[in-house]
Amino acid sequence: MVILILLGLLGVNAHPLIDKALKAGSYAILPVLMIGRWKKWIYVATLDIPVLLLSLMPGVSAIWSTSADYSIDDFKGVLRATLFGIYLAVGYSLKGQMQVFSWVFGIGTVLSLVLTLGLPGYGVSGDFWIGIYEYKNQASLMMALAAILFLIKALNQKQKPWIFWILFSMALVQLVLTQGKTCYAIFANSLCLLPLYNSAKQKHYKMRMFFILIISLALGISTVLLINNLEFIIVDTLGKSMDFNGRTEIWTLVMDKVYERPWLGYGAGGFWTSKHALYVIHNTWAGGDGEIGISPGKALFNAHSGYLDLLAQYGFIGCGLLLVSLVTILLRIVAVSASTAAIETFWMLQTLIALFSVNVTERLGLIHYNTLWTIYVAIALSTALEHKRIANTVKGNQ
């Protein structure tokens, strides 16, 4: 049941009745999961204070939000996603969580092919493959995450690795069909990071650090080359305009509004459901040729950037807290990997990089009411729990 709920909350294009049933079921099952273990839930939830604060921020932001009702609704969804993340950290080991998401992404990958063969409304939207998901960029990210997971499993599975090779091939084909160029780059970057896992398996600390330094240097050089050749890459190679298909115009105007309320923003969902968003809408292509008015509880648009949307909602304080959270988790992953060389921590690292990369030009999963936020919370709390366990073991051996 939990696997189906996690799949449904990834943004599957399901029948409205199925969607409502999954959401209702998700709220109904949480008390059952917590019964008898609430003390452990509280303990695990408080292992990562930045993540806990981020999860509560949508609800707290209702105090200053320009759309308080929307903020409360947003908070309910984020809280649900957070609680599922806590459940995974409490009930599953790192290996167990990787197995859970193998099922989640495996079912999604298979259904994206199978359902499109006989059901209208699935598979293709315009010229893009979307599978069972609602839109192209979402489908592209799901297939990229699935391909990363299945490749790691296939390379490290001792029994029946061919299953994961098949799933990897299915996900990769669908990733290509989505034509999501950003996720192409994310997947390519994940391939470049594969040597990092091999370095973590080295017995000697200095050897691991050597490989990490080399890879860090290579990534730094690659970033410089990317910046210096941005016009060639975007215009000639990716076939996009230098304004990222009109995004930079939107980003500039959103930042104008961010500076009006820079510290705490407009509250969860408060910007795009208020009159402040009309300034952006009516001065960019987002407005089209018609006049757009405010509909209560309905978002007018989005910034096509997860970070800008977060700035608009939670200001620099909220985004700063997210940065602290990310850095903290990455440091824990490195520490846990150095001690255990577990493939699960490498998968978590890959997933975090993918999630934070895609949000440069899309809003997917950052303090949001879906399974991507559940994954983030689970990674944060699981690595905190594992890091504490390792620290206690070392202390006990001294």
Side-chain angles (χ1 to χ4, degrees):
M1 181 64 179
V2 171
I3 290 175
L4 292 179
I5 289 173
L6 292 175
L7 176 63
L9 296 180
L10 277 175
V12 172
N13 182 23
H15 189 279
L17 291 179
I18 297 176
D19 186 56
K20 289 181 180 179
L22 285 173
K23 289 180 178 179
S26 68
Y27 286 111
I29 199 174
L30 280 168
V32 177
L33 298 175
M34 295 176 66
I35 289 176
R37 308 188 73 180
W38 62 271
K39 290 183 179 179
K40 182 70 177 291
W41 280 57
I42 293 175
Y43 168 73
V44 172
T46 54
L47 286 176
D48 193 311
I49 298 302
V51 165
L52 182 61
L53 293 176
L54 286 170
S55 299
L56 296 175
M57 184 164 280
V60 176
S61 72
I63 298 172
W64 65 83
S65 176
T66 54
S67 301
D69 291 341
Y70 195 99
S71 298
I72 294 298
D73 289 339
D74 215 31
F75 173 61
K76 292 177 182 177
V78 171
L79 181 61
R80 175 188 59 194
T82 301
L83 290 174
F84 273 111
I86 298 172
Y87 161 72
L88 291 172
V90 169
Y92 292 88
S93 63
L94 299 182
K95 184 176 181 180
Q97 289 180 48
M98 194 173 182
Q99 190 65 24
V100 167
F101 286 108
S102 293
W103 278 101
V104 172
F105 286 111
I107 293 172
T109 300
V110 173
L111 287 181
S112 286
L113 283 178
V114 174
L115 291 185
T116 57
L117 299 178
L119 292 178
Y122 292 100
V124 179
S125 176
D127 296 328
F128 308 111
W129 179 269
I130 61 171
I132 61 172
Y133 300 99
E134 294 180 341
Y135 54 94
K136 183 197 80 170
N137 291 324
Q138 185 181 30
S140 183
L141 178 61
M142 295 306 107
M143 291 303 112
L145 291 175
I148 292 168
L149 173 57
F150 297 140
L151 177 59
I152 293 174
K153 293 279 286 187
L155 291 173
N156 293 273
Q157 190 78 12
K158 294 181 179 179
Q159 295 181 346
K160 299 181 180 179
W162 57 269
I163 295 176
F164 293 102
W165 282 117
I166 291 174
L167 289 171
F168 166 71
S169 301
M170 294 170 65
L172 186 61
V173 168
Q174 292 181 76
L175 172 60
V176 173
L177 292 175
T178 64
Q179 300 183 43
K181 296 181 176 64
T182 298
C183 290
Y184 290 176
I186 289 172
F187 178 72
N189 183 61
S190 72
L191 296 180
C192 295
L193 289 173
L194 284 175
L196 185 61
Y197 173 64
N198 292 326
S199 72
K201 293 190 293 185
Q202 300 295 322
K203 294 182 179 180
H204 301 290
Y205 177 79
K206 290 183 178 180
M207 182 65 72
R208 287 197 299 269
M209 289 306 299
F210 172 78
F211 276 99
I212 291 173
L213 287 174
I214 292 297
I215 291 171
S216 299
L217 179 60
L219 289 175
I221 294 173
S222 298
T223 302
V224 173
L225 291 174
L226 175 64
I227 293 173
N228 289 332
N229 294 279
L230 187 60
E231 183 172 358
F232 167 76
I233 292 171
I234 293 176
V235 177
D236 298 335
T237 305
L238 299 184
K240 292 187 176 183
S241 62
M242 276 302 293
D243 64 352
F244 289 90
N245 289 343
R247 283 184 172 90
T248 53
E249 183 182 19
I250 294 172
W251 295 346
T252 300
L253 295 181
V254 170
M255 283 304 301
D256 289 344
K257 286 298 180 180
V258 166
Y259 287 131
E260 293 180 10
R261 301 180 68 166
W263 298 116
L264 292 173
Y266 295 82
F271 181 72
W272 293 108
T273 57
S274 70
K275 63 181 181 180
H276 302 281
L278 295 178
Y279 167 75
V280 179
I281 297 293
H282 292 315
N283 288 282
T284 63
W285 56 267
D289 297 326
E291 187 72 16
I292 294 180
I294 300 173
S295 299
K298 183 178 180 181
L300 299 174
F301 197 58
N302 67 81
H304 289 279
S305 169
Y307 304 113
L308 270 183
D309 271 335
L310 287 180
L311 271 175
Q313 293 182 94
Y314 309 117
F316 287 100
I317 290 177
C319 281
L321 187 58
L322 181 66
L323 179 60
V324 170
S325 172
L326 174 62
V327 171
T328 302
I329 296 171
L330 290 176
L331 290 174
R332 279 204 301 264
I333 288 178
V334 171
V336 172
S337 297
S339 299
T340 65
I343 188 62
E344 293 80 22
T345 56
F346 181 68
W347 164 67
M348 290 179 172
L349 175 63
Q350 295 276 51
T351 302
L352 279 182
I353 291 174
L355 184 59
F356 275 81
S357 297
V358 77
N359 275 279
V360 173
T361 55
E362 297 296 333
R363 189 200 173 190
L364 291 167
L366 297 181
I367 320 180
H368 204 50
Y369 41 86
N370 60 25
T371 297
L372 293 176
W373 181 246
T374 295
I375 294 174
Y376 184 81
V377 172
I379 289 174
L381 299 180
S382 298
T383 54
L385 198 60
E386 186 68 12
H387 187 259
K388 192 174 185 64
R389 183 192 67 79
I390 293 172
N392 289 337
T393 301
V394 172
K395 186 177 179 179
N397 293 334
Q398 289 178 348

